[in-house]
Amino acid sequence: MTQTIHRPRGPVMIDVAGTALTDEERERLLDPLVGGVILFARNYTGSDQLRALTAEIRALRDPALIIAVDHEGGRVQRFRSDGFTRLPAMRSLGALWAQDHLAALDAARATGFVLAAELLAHGVDLSFTPVLDLDYGCCSAIGNRAFHRDPQAVAALAQALCAGMAEAGMGCVGKHFPGHGFVEADSHHDVPVDDRDFDTLWAEDIAPYRHRLCRQLAGVMPAHVIYPHADPSPEPQPAGFSPFWLRDVLRQRLGFKGVIFSDDLNMEGARVAGDIVGRARAAFEAGCDMLLVCNRPDLAAELLDRWAPVPDLDNLARLAAIVPNTVRPAWLADPFALELHAPYVQAREHLASIPEDTSAAPTMTAATIGQQRTEVLRKDG
């Protein structure tokens, strides 16, 4: 049996290729710079397999690596069968809000509880949810992942979802600060530019973060979007590389004390910060605590070989605080025990009554939303 290595968590979160670890991946996960693993649908074939994978990852190091996943509901749900309930798209909860506020809040809380309980029972620590972007109807990257256009509705529904997650024992990570919903471009493929001014963003997109919800968020993930008319920096960068957005606005003005996760540094929206080491350095210096490098093991290896950040005690403390309690209640011991837990069964039954989102894909253009302008920097120019 492999001996557990005692090593502090580093500031890099990477992925693995398949349903079990390779020797090369085990070695990489032991690197001092690594602090977490993000899982994808390719890492899942069934309940028992996922529990074995997370157990193996957890046993490598002490403190254990943070195991995370993008598991929001709707079209962004990595695990969908054999121990996992199909979760509604967040726009479904927004549609319910328009009919009955209390019913929508109950549905959001039940969704959060089921989401978190099923992940925890499979050894996953954290989901990057909820999406706090406003539903302007123009961003295909966000679409029905957003709750609503009204920031107050977004804040209320997200707070209920986070409360349900907290009941199961999991923190929540709001994204994509200060807001990705207005731009048409998808930062996975382009470098979006949002030309609105700061006062507009503060009143609209940042409003959910100004809500008491901000005190519930265990983490925040900034957007790979540039806001040139809101960021007073000489050369505004995407929010995830911007000290203005992360230190001045999120930390100081909003008082956020949790973990700041970068969005994937391999996305096209991050290319303005240079190569993978330049991106990591810029994000870390701007204020990110944990840097995600996904779907490019070669770039992950390059980063681990070439980057040597100075350890930060505040960073280590924030990472430690986001991990769920290691002594989990008996009802979260495994999926079978979860099935016998009455509150979980009731919450799952509640989810079955939530109507599915049947709305069309975004069709509005930025020109139809006020007078503000949205631009895109294309890959080749």
Side-chain angles (χ1 to χ4, degrees):
M1 185 174 180
T2 304
Q3 184 177 3
T4 300
I5 302 296
H6 295 273
R7 183 167 292 160
R9 297 185 184 98
V12 178
M13 178 173 280
I14 62 177
D15 57 358
V16 295
T19 57
L21 298 181
T22 65
D23 290 340
E24 182 180 6
E25 287 169 342
R26 291 186 191 92
E27 181 178 356
R28 189 170 296 151
L29 293 178
L30 290 174
D31 190 286
L33 283 183
V34 175
V37 178
I38 180 169
L39 300 179
F40 292 90
R42 66 172 183 268
N43 303 124
Y44 174 76
T45 57
S47 179
D48 290 344
Q49 170 272 322
L50 180 60
R51 292 184 66 234
L53 175 61
T54 59
E56 183 177 11
I57 294 171
R58 196 174 305 282
L60 288 173
R61 292 172 57 162
D62 181 21
L65 296 170
I66 299 169
I67 303 175
V69 67
D70 285 309
H71 199 79
E72 304 167 8
R75 61 192 169 102
V76 182
Q77 181 177 344
R78 304 307 187 199
F79 318 133
R80 295 173 175 267
S81 60
D82 190 22
F84 287 93
T85 303
R86 291 290 186 105
L87 303 170
M90 296 303 100
R91 184 184 285 167
S92 299
L93 301 175
L96 189 56
W97 173 270
Q99 302 169 19
D100 185 330
H101 287 11
L102 292 179
L105 294 174
D106 287 344
R109 194 177 190 115
T111 299
F113 184 78
V114 171
L115 182 160
E118 290 179 347
L119 289 176
L120 289 169
H122 286 83
V124 179
D125 300 311
L126 192 66
S127 176
F128 294 124
T129 191
V131 168
L132 300 180
D133 303 310
L134 304 188
D135 187 3
Y136 288 99
C138 63
C139 183
S140 60
I142 303 302
N144 67 2
R145 298 166 67 192
F147 289 101
H148 206 279
R149 168 62 182 85
D150 180 354
Q152 299 307 315
V154 171
L157 290 168
Q159 185 180 29
L161 184 97
C162 291
M165 294 175 67
E167 285 180 25
M170 180 179 287
C172 50
V173 179
K175 58 188 186 185
H176 306 82
F177 179 81
H180 197 310
F182 185 81
V183 293
E184 292 182 63
D186 182 346
S187 54
H188 290 85
H189 309 295
D190 297 294
V191 185
V193 177
D194 187 331
D195 250 351
R196 294 176 296 165
D197 61 27
F198 182 84
D199 289 344
T200 301
L201 285 161
W202 182 260
E204 295 282 349
D205 300 61
I206 299 176
Y209 297 90
R210 295 191 286 112
H211 187 271
R212 58 184 178 274
L213 164 68
C214 192
R215 296 193 296 272
Q216 289 179 257
L217 295 175
V220 165
M221 180 179 286
H224 285 324
V225 177
I226 302 174
Y227 308 86
H229 292 173
D231 185 342
S233 307
E235 296 183 10
Q237 297 292 308
F241 304 112
S242 168
F244 168 74
W245 285 116
L246 302 187
R247 297 189 185 277
D248 296 354
V249 180
L250 185 57
R251 290 286 189 213
Q252 295 183 20
R253 191 161 177 176
L254 293 171
F256 177 67
K257 300 184 184 302
V259 176
I260 301 178
F261 292 90
S262 81
D263 207 341
D264 180 11
L265 296 183
N266 188 42
M267 288 165 58
E268 187 64 21
R271 71 174 171 86
V272 296
D275 66 5
I276 190 61
V277 177
R279 298 176 192 190
R281 183 180 296 116
F284 194 66
E285 292 177 354
C288 288
D289 296 298
M290 181 71 84
L291 315 175
L292 275 68
V293 181
C294 308
N295 302 311
R296 285 291 301 271
D298 56 329
L299 292 183
E302 180 182 352
L303 179 62
L304 300 181
D305 286 342
R306 293 178 50 207
W307 189 40
V310 177
D312 185 304
L313 295 180
D314 291 338
N315 169 283
L316 291 173
R318 285 190 290 266
L319 292 178
I322 204 170
V323 179
N325 192 334
T326 53
V327 181
R328 297 181 184 176
W331 60 271
L332 279 176
D334 56 52
F336 178 75
L338 189 59
E339 290 282 352
L340 301 178
H341 188 57
Y344 164 76
V345 174
Q346 292 167 4
R348 191 177 60 183
E349 291 173 350
H350 194 154
L351 264 61
S353 68
I354 301 173
E356 291 188 17
D357 175 56
T358 57
S359 57
T363 56
M364 295 174 66
T365 64
T368 67
I369 308 172
Q371 300 300 315
Q372 287 86 9
R373 194 161 50 88
T374 302
E375 298 176 345
V376 178
L377 301 179
R378 298 293 178 187
K379 294 181 182 179
D380 300 325

